[in-house]
Amino acid sequence: MSENINIPKRKKKSNSVLSIVGISVVLLLMGVMSWIFLNLKAMGNNFQEQIEVCAYLNIAGKDSIAKIQNYIETQPYAKNVRYIDKEKAKEIWNQDNNEDWNKILDYNPLPESINFYAKAEYVNKDSLAKISNDLMQQFGSQLSGIDYPKTLVSSMNNIVNKLGLIFLVVMIGLGVMVVVSIDNTIKLTMYSNRFLIKTMQMVGATRKFIARPMNNRAVLNGLISALVAIVLMVILVNWTKDRFPEIGRVEDIKLNYLLYACMLVFGVLISWISTNRSVNKYLKSRLDDLY
C-alpha cells in the first residue's frame, strides 16, 4: 500500500492553500495583538521611569556627596543618577516655571540634591517608601529629605493595574479565539478527507499509516502559515515604527523575536494537534456517521 493514495493532487493543493491562508490570518491577528500588548507595556514602563526621586543634601563636602552618589548608583532601583548643585537646580526651576527669580531674590534658596529615576518595577508607593527609608537610614544626617511626586505615583499605579487587568482579559479571550479558529479551519479541511480516511481504514491501513502523511502535511502547513504571518508582522511593525518613531525608542527587539518564535511554535503545534484529533475522530466514526 502506498501513501500516495491520499487525495487527488488538485484537491489536496486547494485544501492546503485554504488551510494555510486561514491559519496565517489568525496567527497574524494574534501576533498584532500580542505586539500591541508588549509595546504598550514597554511604553508604560518608559512612562513610569520618568518619575524622578530627589535626595536633598544637608552637606557640602565633595567626598560625602560622591559617597552618597556612588551608593545610589550601585542600587538595583536607580538609573541616570546625577548630582544637582545649586546653580543647576536654579536653572531647572527657571525652565520648569518659565521665569527668573533674580528679579525678586538676591540669593539661591534651592538645596543641592542627588537625583535619579526609579526603574519601572520600583515605581509604586511601597517600593519608593522603602527606598526613601533606606537612604535616610544610610545617610540620615547628610540628607535633609527625599522627595518624589507621591500623588502621581499612586494615580499611575491605579491606571497601570487597571490597564494590565483589561489587557490580560483581552489576551486570554484572544488566545481562546485563536485556538478555536485554527482548530475549526483545520477541521473543515479534514472534513473533505473523511471518506478517504475511512476507506484506508477499511482496506487494512493502520492508524499510524493513515495519520503520518496528514500529520506531516499539517506540520508543513503550520510552518508555512507561521512564516507568512511573521513576514507580514515584520512589514507591519516596520511600517508602524516609520510612522511613529517613538515606538522604536521603547520597543524591546528581544521580545519581538520571542513573539515570532511563539507564533512559529504555536502555528505548527496547533496544526498538528487539530489534524491528529480529526483523524482519530473519523477513524472512530461509523461509516454511516460520515454522511
Side-chain angles (χ1 to χ4, degrees):
M1 188 180 295
S2 169
E3 292 182 1
N4 292 329
I5 69 174
N6 282 341
I7 321 172
K9 288 184 178 180
R10 184 178 299 175
K11 187 175 182 181
K12 181 178 178 181
K13 184 176 180 181
S14 176
N15 289 339
S16 294
V17 170
L18 290 175
S19 177
I20 289 170
V21 170
I23 296 172
S24 296
V25 170
V26 176
L27 285 176
L28 179 61
L29 174 62
M30 182 191 77
V32 169
M33 291 299 295
S34 299
W35 183 80
I36 291 173
F37 174 76
L38 291 174
N39 281 279
L40 281 177
K41 187 176 187 304
M43 292 177 70
N45 288 343
N46 182 68
F47 182 67
Q48 286 181 298
E49 291 181 352
Q50 300 305 309
I51 297 296
E52 190 172 32
V53 181
C54 303
Y56 293 113
L57 301 173
N58 206 22
I59 54 173
K62 290 184 179 180
D63 291 340
S64 297
I65 293 172
K67 181 180 178 182
I68 298 173
Q69 184 172 353
N70 290 338
Y71 175 82
I72 295 175
E73 286 174 344
T74 61
Q75 300 307 303
Y77 53 74
K79 57 182 292 188
N80 299 338
V81 183
R82 56 180 183 153
Y83 164 62
I84 305 295
D85 60 20
K86 282 181 168 290
E87 288 303 314
K88 183 64 177 177
K90 177 182 176 181
E91 180 183 336
I92 294 172
W93 194 95
N94 286 336
Q95 288 175 350
D96 292 341
N97 294 276
N98 195 29
E99 59 181 273
D100 189 345
W101 66 43
N102 283 339
K103 299 174 181 177
I104 54 176
L105 293 177
D106 57 1
Y107 69 97
N108 186 344
L110 297 176
E112 298 177 309
S113 65
I114 295 176
N115 294 7
F116 62 91
Y117 294 96
K119 294 181 180 178
E121 58 268 31
Y122 295 95
V123 181
N124 58 74
K125 187 171 78 170
D126 293 337
S127 294
L128 289 174
K130 186 176 180 181
I131 290 170
S132 299
N133 292 335
D134 174 64
L135 291 175
M136 292 305 295
Q137 287 177 4
Q138 292 288 334
F139 309 102
S141 62
Q142 299 169 300
L143 297 176
S144 60
I146 309 293
D147 186 44
Y148 56 88
K150 297 180 177 64
T151 303
L152 178 59
V153 169
S154 297
S155 301
M156 188 183 301
N157 286 336
N158 290 334
I159 294 172
V160 168
N161 290 336
K162 290 178 181 177
L163 287 177
L165 181 60
I166 291 171
F167 274 103
L168 178 61
V169 172
V170 170
M171 291 304 295
I172 291 174
L174 178 63
V176 173
M177 289 175 56
V178 166
V179 171
V180 171
S181 298
I182 293 179
D183 188 55
N184 287 338
T185 299
I186 293 173
K187 280 181 179 178
L188 288 173
T189 303
M190 294 301 298
Y191 180 77
S192 62
N193 299 332
R194 65 194 187 284
F195 288 112
L196 175 63
I197 294 171
K198 201 64 182 178
T199 301
M200 293 175 69
Q201 183 187 34
M202 292 173 66
V203 298
T206 63
R207 193 200 71 81
K208 184 177 180 181
F209 179 86
I210 298 171
R212 185 191 303 119
M214 295 186 180
N215 286 337
N216 290 342
R217 172 57 61 178
V219 169
L220 180 61
N221 287 351
L223 181 62
I224 294 173
S225 300
L227 291 175
V228 170
I230 289 170
V231 169
L232 293 175
M233 268 289 299
V234 171
I235 294 172
L236 283 173
V237 167
N238 289 335
W239 177 84
T240 302
K241 289 194 292 186
D242 287 340
R243 295 291 300 272
F244 306 98
E246 58 273 12
I247 293 178
R249 289 193 289 269
V250 300
E251 182 185 36
D252 190 334
I253 301 299
K254 292 181 180 179
L255 288 180
N256 283 358
Y257 290 146
L258 179 61
L259 173 60
Y260 299 149
C262 289
M263 291 172 64
L264 191 65
V265 172
F266 187 80
V268 172
L269 191 61
I270 191 64
S271 296
W272 180 82
I273 292 174
S274 295
T275 299
N276 201 51
R277 287 177 57 232
S278 295
V279 171
N280 288 334
K281 173 187 173 182
Y282 293 126
L283 286 174
K284 294 177 182 178
S285 300
R286 295 182 305 167
L287 185 60
D288 292 342
D289 296 334
L290 302 181
Y291 290 95

